Protein backbone atom coordinates (compact mmCIF):
# COMPACT_ATOMS: atom_id res chain seq x y z
CA UNK A 1 0.00 0.00 0.00
CA UNK A 2 1.46 3.34 -1.08
CA UNK A 3 1.34 6.68 0.63
CA UNK A 4 -1.19 9.46 0.22
CA UNK A 5 -0.35 13.00 -0.90
CA UNK A 6 -1.82 16.03 0.90
CA UNK A 7 -1.39 19.40 -0.84
CA UNK A 8 -1.70 22.65 1.11
CA UNK A 9 -0.75 26.27 0.39
CA UNK A 10 1.54 27.13 3.31
CA UNK A 11 4.88 25.35 3.89
CA UNK A 12 4.64 26.02 7.64
CA UNK A 13 1.20 24.37 7.78
CA UNK A 14 2.55 21.42 5.80
CA UNK A 15 5.01 20.49 8.56
CA UNK A 16 2.38 20.66 11.31
CA UNK A 17 -0.20 18.69 9.32
CA UNK A 18 2.36 16.03 8.39
CA UNK A 19 3.12 15.56 12.10
CA UNK A 20 -0.57 14.91 12.87
CA UNK A 21 -1.23 12.61 9.87
CA UNK A 22 1.81 10.40 10.30
CA UNK A 23 4.08 8.35 8.06
CA UNK A 24 1.38 7.21 5.62
CA UNK A 25 1.04 10.75 4.27
CA UNK A 26 3.27 13.14 2.38
CA UNK A 27 2.34 16.81 2.80
CA UNK A 28 3.54 19.35 0.24
CA UNK A 29 2.83 23.06 -0.30
CA UNK A 30 2.08 25.08 -3.44
CA UNK A 31 3.03 28.40 -1.78
CA UNK A 32 -0.17 30.09 -3.00
CA UNK A 33 -1.59 30.11 -6.53
CA UNK A 34 0.04 28.09 -9.29
CA UNK A 35 -1.88 29.77 -12.17
CA UNK A 36 -2.94 33.34 -12.90
CA UNK A 37 -3.60 35.82 -15.68
CA UNK A 38 -0.21 36.84 -17.17
CA UNK A 39 0.83 40.43 -16.48
CA UNK A 40 2.03 41.35 -19.97
CA UNK A 41 -1.48 41.96 -21.40
CA UNK A 42 -5.08 41.91 -20.21
CA UNK A 43 -5.62 38.27 -21.29
CA UNK A 44 -9.40 38.63 -20.99
CA UNK A 45 -11.56 38.18 -24.11
CA UNK A 46 -14.01 41.07 -23.82
CA UNK A 47 -15.87 39.99 -26.98
CA UNK A 48 -16.52 36.36 -26.04
CA UNK A 49 -17.92 36.01 -22.55
CA UNK A 50 -15.00 37.68 -20.72
CA UNK A 51 -13.04 34.45 -20.73
CA UNK A 52 -9.66 34.71 -19.05
CA UNK A 53 -6.48 33.00 -20.27
CA UNK A 54 -4.85 31.58 -17.15
CA UNK A 55 -1.29 30.28 -17.29
CA UNK A 56 1.18 28.72 -14.90
CA UNK A 57 2.89 31.42 -12.85
CA UNK A 58 6.59 31.78 -13.80
CA UNK A 59 8.73 30.12 -11.13
CA UNK A 60 6.06 27.57 -10.12
CA UNK A 61 7.12 24.94 -12.67
CA UNK A 62 9.48 23.23 -10.22
CA UNK A 63 6.77 22.95 -7.56
CA UNK A 64 4.27 21.56 -10.07
CA UNK A 65 6.72 18.99 -11.45
CA UNK A 66 7.53 17.80 -7.93
CA UNK A 67 3.82 17.46 -7.07
CA UNK A 68 3.16 15.56 -10.32
CA UNK A 69 5.89 13.08 -9.53
CA UNK A 70 4.62 12.43 -5.99
CA UNK A 71 0.96 12.32 -7.10
CA UNK A 72 1.67 9.69 -9.77
CA UNK A 73 2.85 7.21 -7.14
CA UNK A 74 0.30 8.10 -4.43
CA UNK A 75 -2.87 6.13 -3.68
CA UNK A 76 -4.93 9.28 -3.08
CA UNK A 77 -4.38 13.00 -3.45
CA UNK A 78 -6.02 15.20 -0.83
CA UNK A 79 -6.13 18.85 -1.92
CA UNK A 80 -6.25 20.83 1.31
CA UNK A 81 -5.82 24.40 0.12
CA UNK A 82 -7.47 27.13 2.20
CA UNK A 83 -11.23 26.76 2.89
CA UNK A 84 -12.34 29.79 0.88
CA UNK A 85 -12.96 30.95 -2.68
CA UNK A 86 -9.27 31.46 -3.44
CA UNK A 87 -8.37 28.07 -2.00
CA UNK A 88 -11.05 26.37 -4.10
CA UNK A 89 -9.62 27.92 -7.27
CA UNK A 90 -6.13 26.74 -6.35
CA UNK A 91 -7.55 23.26 -5.70
CA UNK A 92 -9.09 23.26 -9.19
CA UNK A 93 -5.78 24.30 -10.76
CA UNK A 94 -3.95 21.56 -8.88
CA UNK A 95 -6.48 19.01 -10.11
CA UNK A 96 -5.91 20.18 -13.69
CA UNK A 97 -2.13 20.54 -13.66
CA UNK A 98 -0.87 17.98 -11.12
CA UNK A 99 -3.10 14.90 -10.95
CA UNK A 100 -3.48 12.73 -14.06
CA UNK A 101 -5.82 10.16 -12.49
CA UNK A 102 -8.78 12.29 -11.38
CA UNK A 103 -10.28 9.39 -9.39
CA UNK A 104 -7.53 9.90 -6.80
CA UNK A 105 -8.58 13.47 -5.98
CA UNK A 106 -10.42 14.45 -2.82
CA UNK A 107 -10.95 18.00 -1.52
CA UNK A 108 -10.55 18.53 2.23
CA UNK A 109 -11.12 21.65 4.29
CA UNK A 110 -8.88 22.24 7.31
CA UNK A 111 -10.83 24.80 9.33
CA UNK A 112 -8.41 24.39 12.23
CA UNK A 113 -4.88 23.01 12.35
CA UNK A 114 -5.40 20.66 15.29
CA UNK A 115 -5.27 16.88 15.38
CA UNK A 116 -9.03 16.53 15.84
CA UNK A 117 -9.77 19.18 13.20
CA UNK A 118 -7.49 17.49 10.65
CA UNK A 119 -8.88 14.01 11.33
CA UNK A 120 -12.45 15.29 10.99
CA UNK A 121 -11.63 17.07 7.72
CA UNK A 122 -10.00 13.96 6.25
CA UNK A 123 -13.09 11.91 7.13
CA UNK A 124 -15.38 14.43 5.39
CA UNK A 125 -13.64 14.99 2.07
CA UNK A 126 -15.64 16.06 -1.00
CA UNK A 127 -15.27 17.06 -4.64
CA UNK A 128 -13.99 20.45 -5.78
CA UNK A 129 -16.81 23.02 -5.66
CA UNK A 130 -16.99 24.35 -9.22
CA UNK A 131 -19.37 27.16 -8.20
CA UNK A 132 -16.74 28.58 -5.83
CA UNK A 133 -14.10 28.18 -8.52
CA UNK A 134 -16.25 30.15 -11.00
CA UNK A 135 -16.78 32.87 -8.37
CA UNK A 136 -13.03 33.29 -7.91
CA UNK A 137 -12.41 33.38 -11.66
CA UNK A 138 -15.08 36.07 -12.06
CA UNK A 139 -13.48 38.14 -9.28
CA UNK A 140 -10.04 37.81 -10.84
CA UNK A 141 -11.29 38.75 -14.32
CA UNK A 142 -13.12 41.78 -12.90
CA UNK A 143 -9.93 42.89 -11.15
CA UNK A 144 -7.98 42.59 -14.38
CA UNK A 145 -10.52 44.50 -16.48
CA UNK A 146 -10.66 47.34 -13.97
CA UNK A 147 -6.90 47.35 -13.63
CA UNK A 148 -6.29 47.64 -17.36
CA UNK A 149 -9.24 49.87 -18.29
CA UNK A 150 -9.99 52.16 -15.35
CA UNK A 151 -6.68 52.48 -13.50
CA UNK A 152 -4.83 54.13 -16.46
CA UNK A 153 -7.56 56.78 -16.52
CA UNK A 154 -6.83 57.52 -12.85
CA UNK A 155 -3.12 57.80 -13.61
CA UNK A 156 -3.81 60.51 -16.18
CA UNK A 157 -6.28 62.36 -13.96
CA UNK A 158 -4.59 62.08 -10.55
CA UNK A 159 -1.24 60.32 -10.24
CA UNK A 160 0.53 57.19 -11.48
CA UNK A 161 0.03 54.03 -9.47
CA UNK A 162 -3.48 54.80 -8.19
CA UNK A 163 -5.60 51.63 -8.39
CA UNK A 164 -9.32 51.28 -9.21
CA UNK A 165 -10.87 48.42 -7.26
CA UNK A 166 -13.88 46.36 -8.32
CA UNK A 167 -15.81 47.25 -5.14
CA UNK A 168 -14.90 50.88 -4.40
CA UNK A 169 -15.22 51.92 -8.07
CA UNK A 170 -18.85 50.81 -8.22
CA UNK A 171 -19.58 52.28 -4.78
CA UNK A 172 -18.06 55.60 -5.85
CA UNK A 173 -20.25 55.62 -8.99
CA UNK A 174 -23.38 55.09 -6.87
CA UNK A 175 -22.36 57.93 -4.55
CA UNK A 176 -21.70 60.28 -7.49
CA UNK A 177 -25.04 59.44 -9.13
CA UNK A 178 -26.84 60.05 -5.85
CA UNK A 179 -25.04 63.35 -5.36
CA UNK A 180 -26.15 64.43 -8.85
CA UNK A 181 -29.76 63.63 -7.92
CA UNK A 182 -29.43 65.71 -4.75
CA UNK A 183 -27.99 68.66 -6.70
CA UNK A 184 -30.84 68.51 -9.24
CA UNK A 185 -33.57 68.27 -6.60
CA UNK A 186 -35.89 71.27 -6.56
CA UNK A 187 -37.37 71.69 -3.06
CA UNK A 188 -41.03 72.67 -2.84
CA UNK A 189 -43.10 73.92 0.06
CA UNK A 190 -45.55 71.34 1.33
CA UNK A 191 -48.09 71.38 4.15
CA UNK A 192 -49.96 68.55 5.85
CA UNK A 193 -52.90 68.55 8.27
CA UNK A 194 -53.39 66.33 11.31
CA UNK A 195 -56.38 66.18 13.65
CA UNK A 196 -57.04 64.86 17.14
CA UNK A 197 -60.29 62.87 17.31
CA UNK A 198 -62.43 61.54 20.19
CA UNK A 199 -65.98 60.23 20.70
CA UNK A 200 -68.84 62.73 21.15
CA UNK A 201 -69.81 60.92 24.37
CA UNK A 202 -66.93 62.51 26.16
CA UNK A 203 -64.67 59.46 26.14
CA UNK A 204 -61.23 60.70 27.20
CA UNK A 205 -59.44 58.41 24.77
CA UNK A 206 -58.37 60.16 21.57
CA UNK A 207 -56.34 59.35 18.51
CA UNK A 208 -54.44 61.34 15.92
CA UNK A 209 -55.21 61.09 12.19
CA UNK A 210 -53.60 62.65 9.14
CA UNK A 211 -55.59 64.12 6.25
CA UNK A 212 -55.18 61.71 3.36
CA UNK A 213 -57.92 62.43 0.83
CA UNK A 214 -60.60 65.11 0.32
CA UNK A 215 -64.00 64.95 -1.38
CA UNK A 216 -65.05 68.58 -1.58
CA UNK A 217 -66.24 70.52 -4.65
CA UNK A 218 -65.60 73.88 -2.97
CA UNK A 219 -61.94 73.03 -2.50
CA UNK A 220 -61.72 71.51 -6.00
CA UNK A 221 -60.62 68.14 -4.60
CA UNK A 222 -62.36 64.98 -5.83
CA UNK A 223 -61.11 62.09 -3.75
CA UNK A 224 -57.55 63.25 -4.25
CA UNK A 225 -54.59 63.53 -1.96
CA UNK A 226 -54.40 67.24 -1.08
CA UNK A 227 -51.39 69.13 -2.37
CA UNK A 228 -51.06 72.09 -0.02
CA UNK A 229 -48.32 74.29 -1.40
CA UNK A 230 -48.56 77.16 1.09
CA UNK A 231 -50.03 78.19 4.43
CA UNK A 232 -53.01 79.96 2.84
CA UNK A 233 -54.15 76.75 1.11
CA UNK A 234 -53.64 74.82 4.35
CA UNK A 235 -55.76 77.32 6.33
CA UNK A 236 -58.51 77.20 3.69
CA UNK A 237 -58.72 73.41 3.85
CA UNK A 238 -58.51 73.44 7.62
CA UNK A 239 -61.44 75.87 7.87
CA UNK A 240 -63.60 73.61 5.69
CA UNK A 241 -62.70 70.58 7.82
CA UNK A 242 -63.46 72.14 11.21
CA UNK A 243 -67.27 72.11 10.89
CA UNK A 244 -67.61 68.55 9.60
CA UNK A 245 -68.40 65.36 11.50
CA UNK A 246 -66.34 62.27 11.02
CA UNK A 247 -66.75 58.54 11.47
CA UNK A 248 -64.56 55.45 11.28
CA UNK A 249 -65.55 53.34 8.27
CA UNK A 250 -62.80 50.74 8.24
CA UNK A 251 -60.12 49.36 10.55
CA UNK A 252 -57.09 47.51 9.24
CA UNK A 253 -54.66 45.67 11.52
CA UNK A 254 -51.08 45.10 10.32
CA UNK A 255 -48.13 43.38 11.94
CA UNK A 256 -44.92 45.40 11.99
CA UNK A 257 -41.53 43.88 12.74
CA UNK A 258 -38.62 45.97 14.03
CA UNK A 259 -35.01 45.00 13.55
CA UNK A 260 -33.85 46.31 16.93
CA UNK A 261 -35.06 47.91 20.13
CA UNK A 262 -33.87 51.40 19.13
CA UNK A 263 -36.04 51.33 16.00
CA UNK A 264 -39.01 50.07 17.97
CA UNK A 265 -38.66 52.82 20.56
CA UNK A 266 -38.34 55.49 17.88
CA UNK A 267 -41.46 54.21 16.10
CA UNK A 268 -43.39 54.04 19.34
Amino acid sequence: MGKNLVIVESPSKAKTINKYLGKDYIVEATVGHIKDLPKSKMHVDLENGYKGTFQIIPGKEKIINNLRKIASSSDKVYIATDPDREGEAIASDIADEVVIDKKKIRRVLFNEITKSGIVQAMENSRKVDENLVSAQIARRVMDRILGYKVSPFLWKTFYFGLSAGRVQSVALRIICDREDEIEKFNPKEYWSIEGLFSKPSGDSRAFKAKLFRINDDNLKFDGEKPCLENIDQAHKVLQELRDNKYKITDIQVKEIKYTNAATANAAY
Side-chain angles (χ1 to χ4, degrees):
M1 183 176 178
K3 292 189 176 185
N4 300 307
L5 173 62
V6 178
I7 302 175
V8 297
E9 292 181 49
S10 167
S12 59
K13 285 184 180 179
K15 294 179 181 179
T16 305
I17 293 168
N18 209 160
K19 180 181 67 175
Y20 287 134
L21 290 176
K23 57 184 178 59
D24 292 332
Y25 293 85
I26 298 172
V27 184
E28 295 288 334
T30 64
V31 194
H33 282 272
I34 62 171
K35 296 177 73 175
D36 197 5
L37 296 171
K39 295 181 179 180
S40 56
K41 298 179 181 179
M42 183 183 292
H43 288 280
V44 175
D45 190 344
L46 302 179
E47 304 298 328
N48 295 289
Y50 300 97
K51 184 177 180 180
T53 304
F54 290 81
Q55 298 177 5
I56 293 173
I57 298 172
K60 289 297 179 80
E61 294 86 356
K62 184 177 180 181
I63 292 175
I64 292 173
N65 290 334
N66 180 54
L67 291 174
R68 283 175 182 165
K69 182 179 179 181
I70 301 172
S72 64
S73 59
S74 298
D75 290 338
K76 292 182 180 180
V77 177
Y78 294 92
I79 305 178
T81 46
D82 291 351
D84 55 20
R85 182 176 57 191
E86 295 291 321
E88 207 70 24
I90 297 173
S92 179
D93 290 340
I94 292 170
D96 291 340
E97 298 295 335
V98 172
V99 187
I100 296 175
D101 186 356
K102 306 304 179 186
K103 294 179 181 179
K104 291 183 178 184
I105 299 172
R106 297 302 297 172
R107 172 79 168 112
V108 294
L109 305 177
F110 292 150
N111 292 305
E112 58 180 59
I113 309 301
T114 62
K115 186 173 183 179
S116 60
I118 290 171
V119 170
Q120 183 180 13
M122 296 293 285
E123 291 174 351
N124 293 278
S125 61
R126 60 165 173 78
K127 294 181 179 179
V128 174
D129 188 335
E130 295 300 332
N131 289 331
L132 275 179
V133 175
S134 296
Q136 192 278 335
I137 292 173
R139 181 206 65 77
R140 186 69 187 94
V141 168
M142 286 175 64
D143 278 347
R144 176 54 61 91
I145 294 172
L146 282 168
Y148 274 71
K149 291 293 186 180
V150 182
S151 292
F153 173 77
L154 296 180
W155 300 344
K156 296 177 182 178
T157 308
F158 297 99
Y159 58 85
F160 181 81
L162 191 61
S163 176
R166 69 184 183 281
V167 177
Q168 60 265 42
S169 296
V170 177
L172 183 60
R173 172 61 185 269
I174 293 172
I175 292 171
C176 290
D177 287 347
R178 183 57 179 154
E179 185 64 25
D180 287 342
E181 291 179 12
I182 294 172
E183 290 292 330
K184 293 176 182 177
F185 176 72
N186 184 22
K188 293 182 179 180
E189 185 176 351
Y190 178 81
W191 290 75
S192 60
I193 297 176
E194 292 184 352
L196 192 63
F197 295 84
S198 61
K199 291 183 178 180
S201 60
D203 192 328
S204 59
R205 290 177 299 177
F207 63 92
K208 185 184 293 185
K210 185 176 181 179
L211 179 62
F212 186 67
R213 295 190 188 279
I214 299 176
N215 265 323
D216 194 316
D217 293 335
N218 295 330
L219 298 173
K220 298 182 180 179
F221 288 111
D222 183 17
E224 301 175 0
K225 185 176 181 180
C227 182
L228 308 177
E229 298 180 349
N230 54 60
I231 193 170
D232 292 333
Q233 289 183 4
H235 280 157
K236 185 176 181 180
V237 173
L238 182 60
Q239 190 61 40
E240 290 286 338
L241 296 176
R242 286 185 187 277
D243 300 328
N244 292 323
K245 292 183 179 181
Y246 302 90
K247 64 180 179 179
I248 298 174
T249 60
D250 183 38
I251 297 177
Q252 296 181 2
V253 179
K254 296 182 180 180
E255 182 178 338
I256 299 175
K257 294 182 179 181
Y258 298 104
T259 56
N260 55 52
T263 305
N265 291 333
Y268 181 79

